[in-house]
Amino acid sequence: MNTALNQYAAAYPELAAAMPGQGLSWLQQLRADAFTQFASHGFPSPREEDWRYTNVSALEKKAFNPVSAATTSFVDADCLKQYQLADAWSLVLVDGRFDARLSNIQGLPDAVQVMAMAEALQLHAGQVASYFGKAVDTAEHGFIAFNNAWFTDGVFVHIPAGQILAKPIQCLHIVTQEGSLATTRNVLVLGDHASAQWVETFVGADVGYLSATVTEAFVGQNAELTAYKVQCESAKAYHFGGLYIKQARDARCIQHNFAFGGLLARTDIRADLEQAAECELNGLYLGVKRQHIDNHTRINHVQSHATSRQLYKGVLDDRARGVFQGRVVVAEQAQKTDSNMSNRNLLLSADAEVDTKPQLEIYADDVKCGHGVTIGQLDEKSVFYLQSRCIDEATARNMLTFAFANEMVDKVTLPTLKALLLQFLLKHFPQNSYVD
Amino acid sequence: MLSIKDLTVNVNDKKILKGINLEVKAGEIHAIMGPNGSGKSTLAHVLSGKSGYEVTGGSVTYQDKDLLDMPPEIRAREGVFLAFQYPVEIPGVSNVYLLKAALNAIRKYNGLDEVDAMDFLMLVKGKVKALEMDEKFLYRAVNEGFSGGEKKRNEILQMAILEPKLCILDETDSGLDIDALKIVADGVNSLRSPDRSFIMVTHYQRLLDYIKPDFVHVLAHGQIITSGGPELALELEEKGYGWLEDGQVAA
């Protein structure tokens, strides 16, 4: 273990005493094991295949520290409005802790449980225990071990069988303080035949911080989850987020991943598919300046007749670097699997870079699996076509780039979120006006 | 309107156009015919400002201005319109968006305000109807998934909205069945006016059955080898290009 890691490990015993779930032996054991694992292995190293394109050694040089409950910032509700969906039940986490004052869950059906993770560990520990760590465990990689040991709060959402939620639930993470560490853990459970929309948004003040988050989602039989991740962290921030989904038989999940912010940002999304489950993963990453944006997906076809679709698009400008690693694993018994994965990248500058690596691992013999990758520049024929229609070259390029990215925003079915994302895109590609 | 003098053009150091001379006056329709590889499309592209062509000599004057000096979008705003042989598919940009952006670019160039949204829709819907297109086309991405005929009709729609002064139709008849050809020709004919000129590049006589040219020019080996009235096109249809090319070699 090197000295830099010691900063985290050395600080841990003192922090651990204040972390939620003190009285729960299962959680204390889980935290202790995770700490031991992290203390000996640290954050993932570029020597690990899944991390070869993303070097996280910067985290070891700067020690980020959790904000104690007593010094958590007061966040003005008005400044959250630009990210908060008007038509959603809203949960807000400030510097890694649930903020009841900013949250609003009025009108939620009584049978639906939505609460801070710290509170859930006090009031419904047994229920939490049956899900916590069941979609992903410490062995996955260093950030999971770190999250297990360090998480300060998060949210617990339980939607009972047959419940169909009319409005989305939004979990808004905001980090406010320089050098702070926000480690959050969410558990989302949809009972059989339930239906819900889940939006996670990550924002922060214009300072350097580390946001490390893990969400475990359990989608019951024939249940339906539409999940969105909108990562708009500060340009100086480090973001490491994981979403681990377990889909029961016939469960359907569509996940949209928008990776816009952060200096160094990495998202892992994994879905385990039981029989005839359907999974769709969509992603858009936009990198500028020296941003490094890494997206990892993994779909495990565990049982037969499941379907998976993936489309990830990236636009990299300046000296930005994008990474996409998509992995589909088809187990021996997962016959009649139907899977497709596509990654398309647009490089706008000679210094931009993308590393893309689609992987198929197929152990069954009766499956339909495909993948495709493109990396390119704007099509000059299209640029000329627009010029011949009176559009100047800069606007033409901007319009084409916007159109490339907007395909992913267009897939969003939630109107308020779509409008918010569109605003973001128009800010990013300013020469466009938009006509619907 | 347009005056081309001794225009010579290279592509990758190969001489494609070897001294073109052409005068187009307001209101005239000129057909440019010729065998494959004669330089017809090159001429259309050079006039519209496509990159990849090196003008090695000669001049092109359009409305007393040096056309070759203008970037493509300025030519378009000045009223030069190229209907593409192969219109480009642009996923993510809707037809109606492009039409509006193009029209507003021209209006801005001419010192006018942006078009009123309602007026614009009325205008576009009228033209769409005239071209027997489905209104749904307006909201689809530009040319994406369109059939060959739909793409060509879309070009004529753009032309009808932008009201150019010089329309260059590059092989607009290729890939069209008779019905579509008739609709496209009607669209072009409805745009004929004393102050609008057309240059139609085509292989075949059949387009000229529907759009009657004032002049027909035969382009071969990078030069206009003969010019005449509409009757020349009929003669070409009958005899092919061989006799003219042979004649040129003999001369």
Side-chain angles (χ1 to χ4, degrees):
Chain A
M1 189 170 69
N2 63 43
T3 49
L5 274 182
N6 263 327
Q7 299 185 52
Y8 293 93
Y12 187 74
E14 198 183 328
L15 297 170
M19 283 177 180
Q22 291 298 319
L24 304 171
S25 61
W26 63 269
L27 186 57
Q28 292 307 96
Q29 188 60 52
L30 189 139
R31 284 199 194 266
D33 291 347
F35 176 70
T36 307
Q37 170 84 10
F38 180 79
S40 62
H41 291 83
F43 292 118
S45 126
R47 286 188 300 274
E48 294 172 43
E49 184 57 26
D50 280 350
W51 293 82
R52 62 182 290 192
Y53 301 114
T54 296
N55 189 332
V56 304
S57 57
L59 296 184
E60 297 166 7
K61 295 188 190 103
K62 321 182 170 204
F64 292 99
N65 293 302
V67 176
S68 77
T71 57
T72 295
S73 298
F74 180 86
V75 174
D76 181 14
D78 283 340
C79 83
L80 288 180
K81 288 242 164 69
Q82 55 178 316
Y83 306 107
Q84 231 164 353
L85 301 177
D87 57 352
W89 287 299
S90 190
L91 306 161
V92 180
L93 294 159
V94 180
D95 296 327
R97 279 193 181 77
F98 183 74
D99 188 321
R101 182 180 60 88
L102 297 169
S103 303
N104 179 10
I105 53 169
Q106 270 186 0
L108 256 179
D110 290 343
V112 178
Q113 291 167 279
V114 174
M115 67 194 77
M117 179 58 81
E119 188 188 358
L121 287 168
Q122 283 179 351
L123 303 178
H124 308 281
Q127 209 180 357
V128 177
S130 53
Y131 296 104
F132 198 105
K134 298 298 191 285
V136 64
D137 63 23
T138 292
E140 179 80 7
H141 59 62
F143 282 99
I144 303 299
F146 184 78
N147 191 280
N148 280 343
W150 263 262
F151 80 90
T152 47
D153 206 347
V155 298
F156 176 75
V157 175
H158 186 276
I159 300 158
Q163 182 81 52
I164 292 167
L165 285 187
K167 294 200 292 183
I169 297 173
Q170 182 182 27
C171 182
L172 179 57
H173 300 249
I174 179 163
V175 183
T176 63
Q177 298 182 32
E178 169 77 39
S180 62
L181 163 65
T183 313
T184 51
R185 180 59 162 266
N186 303 319
V187 170
L188 172 65
V189 183
L190 274 74
D192 296 348
H193 313 289
S195 171
Q197 303 170 86
W198 165 256
V199 183
E200 266 193 273
T201 306
F202 295 87
V203 297
D206 185 27
V207 293
Y209 57 83
L210 167 58
S211 168
T213 178
V214 171
T215 297
E216 294 182 272
F218 301 84
V219 189
Q221 277 192 29
N222 197 37
E224 184 165 18
L225 171 66
T226 306
Y228 301 90
K229 173 172 176 174
V230 183
Q231 187 271 101
C232 292
E233 302 277 22
S234 119
K236 296 168 188 158
Y238 296 84
H239 174 96
F240 296 88
L243 171 62
Y244 298 86
I245 308 165
K246 284 192 96 66
Q247 291 182 235
R249 183 178 175 148
D250 299 319
R252 294 173 301 285
C253 177
I254 300 178
Q255 202 278 339
H256 303 264
N257 177 14
F258 295 95
F260 298 153
L263 178 63
L264 175 60
R266 154 94 173 214
T267 291
D268 284 83
I269 294 177
R270 200 183 79 198
D272 298 333
L273 310 184
E274 294 294 325
Q275 195 173 341
E278 293 172 19
C279 178
E280 181 181 330
L281 303 182
N282 297 308
L284 174 65
Y285 43 102
L286 305 177
V288 293
K289 295 178 184 163
R290 286 181 167 273
Q291 273 184 295
H292 180 111
I293 302 184
D294 181 354
N295 284 291
H296 256 68
T297 67
R298 176 164 170 178
I299 296 181
N300 291 322
H301 283 263
V302 180
Q303 295 295 340
S304 66
H305 291 92
T307 307
S308 63
R309 293 284 176 269
Q310 294 185 70
L311 174 59
Y312 265 72
K313 281 183 149 187
V315 181
L316 288 316
D317 203 350
D318 307 324
R319 304 183 69 85
R321 188 172 176 194
V323 180
F324 174 77
Q325 285 200 58
R327 193 162 155 213
V328 174
V329 183
V330 181
E332 197 178 344
Q333 67 275 19
Q335 300 292 6
K336 306 288 182 190
T337 286
D338 179 351
S339 173
N340 193 285
M341 165 167 47
S342 176
N343 175 226
R344 298 179 57 199
N345 297 282
L346 201 50
L347 298 183
L348 299 180
S349 104
D351 295 323
E353 180 180 335
V354 66
D355 297 284
T356 172
K357 195 171 142 201
Q359 291 169 277
L360 293 177
E361 273 177 53
I362 303 171
Y363 300 100
D365 55 14
D366 182 12
V367 300
K368 192 168 90 180
C369 293
H371 67 79
V373 163
T374 59
I375 301 171
Q377 286 86 42
L378 287 175
D379 176 26
E380 293 304 320
K381 279 186 201 156
S382 303
V383 175
F384 174 67
Y385 188 80
L386 292 177
Q387 282 183 278
S388 78
R389 299 299 178 255
C390 313
I391 316 282
D392 66 84
E393 186 182 340
T395 307
R397 290 185 183 281
N398 217 274
M399 202 185 260
L400 292 168
T401 311
F402 172 81
F404 177 85
N406 191 40
E407 184 191 351
M408 304 318 292
V409 172
D410 240 1
K411 288 177 183 288
V412 171
T413 49
L414 201 57
T416 47
L417 181 61
K418 192 173 177 173
L420 197 142
L421 290 165
L422 198 58
Q423 281 302 316
F424 186 90
L425 273 198
L426 289 173
K427 229 188 270 174
H428 201 86
F429 304 109
Q431 274 112 321
N432 289 276
S433 56
Y434 185 78
V435 281
D436 203 356
Chain B
M1 164 99 47
L2 182 75
S3 175
I4 305 176
K5 290 206 168 75
D6 293 323
L7 182 66
T8 55
V9 172
N10 284 8
V11 177
N12 297 329
D13 292 331
K14 196 176 166 226
K15 290 179 182 165
I16 305 294
L17 297 183
K18 303 169 187 167
I20 299 282
N21 287 287
L22 185 67
E23 292 288 329
V24 179
K25 293 199 173 65
E28 291 178 351
I29 298 194
H30 290 246
I32 296 181
M33 304 183 71
N36 287 328
S38 59
K40 298 190 303 293
S41 283
T42 298
L43 179 60
H45 289 156
V46 168
L47 292 179
S48 59
K50 192 174 180 185
S51 60
Y53 299 90
E54 188 199 349
V55 176
T56 51
S59 67
V60 180
T61 310
Y62 167 76
Q63 292 191 319
D64 303 324
K65 289 174 189 159
D66 181 359
L67 186 70
L68 300 177
D69 213 25
M70 304 175 191
E73 65 271 19
I74 300 301
R75 299 180 196 202
R77 292 171 195 172
E78 287 279 352
V80 177
F81 183 91
L82 172 68
F84 282 61
Q85 180 179 9
Y86 303 110
V88 181
E89 298 194 7
I90 306 190
V93 176
S94 74
N95 250 327
V96 70
Y97 179 61
L98 174 59
L99 285 170
K100 197 170 178 185
L103 185 61
N104 279 332
I106 291 184
R107 290 179 66 95
K108 196 174 165 196
Y109 186 72
N110 292 320
L112 299 170
D113 286 340
E114 293 204 344
V115 62
D116 173 77
M118 283 309 290
D119 292 347
F120 174 72
L121 267 186
M122 293 281 282
L123 169 74
V124 171
K125 286 185 176 177
K127 305 283 187 193
V128 162
K129 208 172 166 192
L131 284 165
E132 298 182 35
M133 293 170 75
D134 192 323
E135 264 185 36
K136 282 185 200 135
F137 273 94
L138 288 174
Y139 302 98
R140 278 173 59 183
V142 177
N143 294 323
E144 194 184 30
F146 286 24
S147 71
E150 287 165 345
K151 284 181 184 170
K152 296 297 171 74
R153 243 185 275 187
N154 204 29
E155 295 290 287
I156 304 302
L157 172 68
Q158 293 172 359
M159 195 165 92
I161 303 281
L162 300 180
E163 300 187 317
K165 298 190 189 89
L166 174 65
C167 308
I168 304 164
L169 309 182
D170 187 9
E171 309 254 3
T172 293
D173 50 339
S174 68
L176 290 186
D177 60 36
I178 294 296
D179 292 334
L181 183 65
K182 227 177 146 306
I183 292 165
V184 165
D186 287 347
V188 171
N189 284 325
S190 70
L191 287 169
R192 291 185 76 155
S193 90
D195 50 9
R196 182 171 292 133
S197 310
F198 291 83
I199 296 174
M200 293 193 297
V201 172
T202 181
H203 264 297
Y204 305 107
Q205 149 69 19
R206 66 171 194 166
L207 179 66
L208 307 182
D209 287 340
Y210 297 99
I211 307 171
K212 209 167 161 52
D214 301 302
F215 301 95
V216 174
H217 310 276
V218 177
L219 189 61
H221 308 299
Q223 287 183 307
I224 291 177
I225 54 171
T226 189
S227 298
E231 71 287 346
L232 177 59
L234 292 169
E235 202 175 348
L236 289 169
E237 188 77 356
E238 198 183 313
K239 297 187 187 170
Y241 295 110
W243 61 283
L244 281 169
E245 291 182 83
D246 293 347
Q248 191 209 24
V249 172

